[in-house]
Amino acid sequence: MLSGIAAPAAALDFTAGEQRRILRHGPWPPASRPDPSNRASGEPAAIAFGRALFFEPRLSVSGRVSCATCHRPDRAWTDGLPQSRGQRAVDRNAPALFNLRFNRWFGWDGAQDSLWAQNLRPLLDRREMGIGPGGAARLVRSDRQLSCGYRRAFGEAPGADDERIFVDLGKALAAFLETRVTGRTPFDDFRDALARGDAAGQARYPAAAKRGLRLFVGRGNCAFCHFGPAFTNSEFADAGVPHFIGPGRVDPGRHGGIRKLRRSRYTLLGRFNDDAGRSTAAGTRYVRLRQSNFGEFRVPGLRNAALTAPYMHAGSLATLADVALHYSTLDEERLHAGGERILRRLDLSARERADLVAFLETLTETAPRHGFVGKSGAVQCR
Ligand code: HEC
Ligand code: HEC
């Protein structure tokens, strides 16, 4: 497929090197396979059950908060708030829930190493839903629809082990969330036209977006971190975003995430991994805590970013224009000194910032791949 790089005349506004870097952001959607750590991954009955759980407010202590309270399908699967509010306020911004199946770590701090473990966190956190293993297991056992959904998804009635039922809820939710992959974008059409050497296809991509794209893969160095088809290298970095939570309190970011991961019962090294060979657990096994992890956050993917304002781990930037300004005026002194300097203050002109935004806006899907039908996800059991 990459042989299409040999540039036809019309593509020459991008150099061969730029073209190579652009092509790495596709094709979209990438191939994917079921998650071996989750026996429910890809199973239609588990997907249906997970969908029902996602909209289930009885999974919260107040009976009023569901996953969809903070991850609203009508708001690109986030809540539009700088920091979310469940039972109580939390410190961080709710990420949009799509393209999760391509992640290696979950949460802004990567405190979870699987999607199913991530889904348990709001059920444990008293500020979010807080129902915990006992409450969740009781609900599933006592409700006819939910226990039927569980049986269909996992092939057995909910048993006596609360924690096993609890983890299985995370797995059904993961099966559902894995189906959420964003659709094709104007950028993908351009990128594929470039791969094919299709000059007419390339000409349809707006000039401002092309200039922004050149900054993105070039002088801006954005693609160093926002790499590959999902526009993230799945790692952690300090992007110069202040991480004060309140007077005298800071969000430790990845440093705290690694410490939580090591304490957690729900990791790929633990007994709830359905993959006896632990084939996806290497990252967890070899993770090391370094001082430089302090204040690092996960590099977010940028697909559909135009729909998911506000931005950054605590929602500190309201618009994409603010993000472009942030990278343009960044205080280099605040960044970690160690290692290779990746981020530099870019001093972009107003037009360059607008170009960058024009490019980011072409990462918005033109038609959702999985049209979301209806709000309630009731499992139909008799
Ligand atoms: C109170 C609002 C709130 C509720 C309720 C909530 N979430 Fe979240 N969600 C968040 C926030 C905030 C984060 C970021 C957490 C962090 O990084 O510490 C998050 C992160 C996530 C992530 C990680 C995304 C990523 O890119 O790494 C997933 C997956 C997720 N939530 C799924 C769920 C599911 C499933 C439920 C219901 C069981 C749920 N959430 C309930 C606010 C919420
Ligand atoms: C050193 C790695 C790195 C580089 C280089 C980088 N970013 Fe980021 N980017 C991040 C990280 C990490 C975050 C999250 C920071 C946080 O929340 O504290 C982020 C956040 C963002 C967000 C917000 C996404 C969201 O959903 O909240 C956008 C948009 C973005 N970057 C665009 C860019 C652009 C445009 C460039 C180039 C000018 C760029 N980034 C360069 C690491 C990087």
Side-chain angles (χ1 to χ4, degrees):
M1 167 160 285
L2 289 183
S3 59
I5 303 174
L12 283 184
D13 25 344
F14 285 108
T15 66
E18 284 171 334
Q19 291 187 45
R20 245 190 334 270
R21 276 173 272 151
I22 292 166
L23 289 174
R24 285 189 205 133
H25 293 283
W28 190 263
S32 58
R33 58 184 192 117
D35 174 359
S37 74
N38 176 3
R39 68 195 189 289
S41 177
E43 295 296 332
I47 294 168
F49 183 45
R51 182 165 179 256
L53 295 170
F54 193 84
F55 295 97
E56 179 55 77
R58 289 177 299 167
L59 283 172
S60 65
V61 278
S62 64
R64 283 204 298 267
V65 182
S66 73
C67 309
T69 303
C70 302
H71 303 287
R72 290 174 47 176
D74 64 335
R75 288 207 171 216
W77 300 77
T78 171
D79 52 15
L81 302 171
Q83 291 146 46
S84 293
R85 177 162 266 289
Q87 302 286 139
R88 295 201 293 277
V90 300
D91 300 332
R92 292 192 183 147
N93 179 257
L97 301 185
F98 38 62
N99 303 336
L100 294 165
R101 63 182 312 147
F102 310 116
N103 279 11
R104 188 157 55 217
W105 302 104
F106 298 84
W108 284 104
D109 55 6
Q112 288 73 227
D113 62 358
S114 73
L115 183 51
W116 52 266
Q118 169 65 46
N119 295 335
L120 301 176
R121 207 218 51 212
L123 301 175
L124 291 164
D125 189 329
R126 305 284 297 179
R127 296 170 306 172
E128 296 189 40
M129 296 163 76
I131 190 161
R138 266 194 303 284
L139 175 68
V140 174
R141 275 193 219 101
S142 64
D143 182 80
R144 211 167 59 88
Q145 290 296 315
L146 292 178
S147 66
C148 165
Y150 182 93
R151 179 161 42 76
R152 293 224 173 140
F154 295 101
E156 56 186 351
D161 181 347
D162 286 358
E163 198 175 25
R164 181 176 164 96
I165 296 175
F166 180 61
V167 173
D168 283 344
L169 298 187
K171 289 178 177 170
L173 282 161
F176 166 58
L177 290 175
E178 279 169 358
T179 65
R180 313 244 5 104
V181 174
T182 51
R184 300 260 311 169
T185 67
F187 168 77
D188 296 314
D189 292 342
F190 172 71
R191 183 260 172 217
D192 290 357
L194 197 63
R196 286 195 306 272
D198 164 4
Q202 291 167 44
R204 278 193 288 275
Y205 195 54
K210 280 183 185 148
R211 292 192 301 266
L213 173 57
R214 167 168 281 152
L215 276 170
F216 192 88
V217 299
R219 185 156 68 85
N221 210 13
C222 315
F224 186 94
C225 298
H226 298 285
F227 177 82
F231 290 86
T232 167
N233 60 6
S234 295
E235 285 302 329
F236 301 83
D238 176 359
V241 179
H243 51 283
F244 296 105
I245 306 176
R249 285 204 311 136
V250 294
D251 187 330
R254 181 61 174 151
H255 198 272
I258 294 175
R259 297 176 52 155
K260 278 192 200 148
L261 180 79
R262 292 205 169 142
R263 284 198 305 269
S264 171
R265 301 165 54 70
Y266 309 118
T267 75
L268 294 175
L269 298 176
R271 72 175 172 104
F272 297 103
N273 184 345
D274 292 330
D275 171 21
R278 302 281 183 268
S279 61
T280 53
T284 314
R285 190 168 288 126
Y286 297 116
V287 75
R288 292 279 168 276
L289 190 67
R290 285 166 296 143
Q291 203 48 40
S292 61
N293 294 134
F294 209 87
E296 287 185 342
F297 292 88
R298 207 186 71 221
V299 178
L302 299 181
R303 286 183 179 268
N304 274 4
L307 307 178
T308 65
Y311 302 100
M312 306 303 182
H313 68 272
S316 54
L317 299 176
T319 63
L320 287 176
D322 293 339
V323 175
L325 188 63
H326 164 77
Y327 285 111
S328 186
T329 56
L330 189 83
D331 180 358
E332 294 184 18
E333 296 308 311
R334 287 187 32 96
L335 297 174
H336 293 141
E340 176 192 8
R341 265 290 175 86
I342 300 156
L343 268 176
R344 295 197 174 281
R345 176 189 162 126
L346 293 174
D347 289 318
L348 302 173
S349 69
R351 189 181 102 161
E352 287 171 321
R353 295 199 304 272
D355 289 345
L356 207 46
V357 172
F359 160 65
L360 292 170
E361 284 172 344
T362 67
L363 300 179
T364 307
E365 62 191 352
T366 35
R369 256 183 98 231
H370 298 275
F372 189 78
V373 197
K375 185 168 149 48
S376 124
V379 192
Q380 290 312 316
C381 284
R382 273 172 296 277

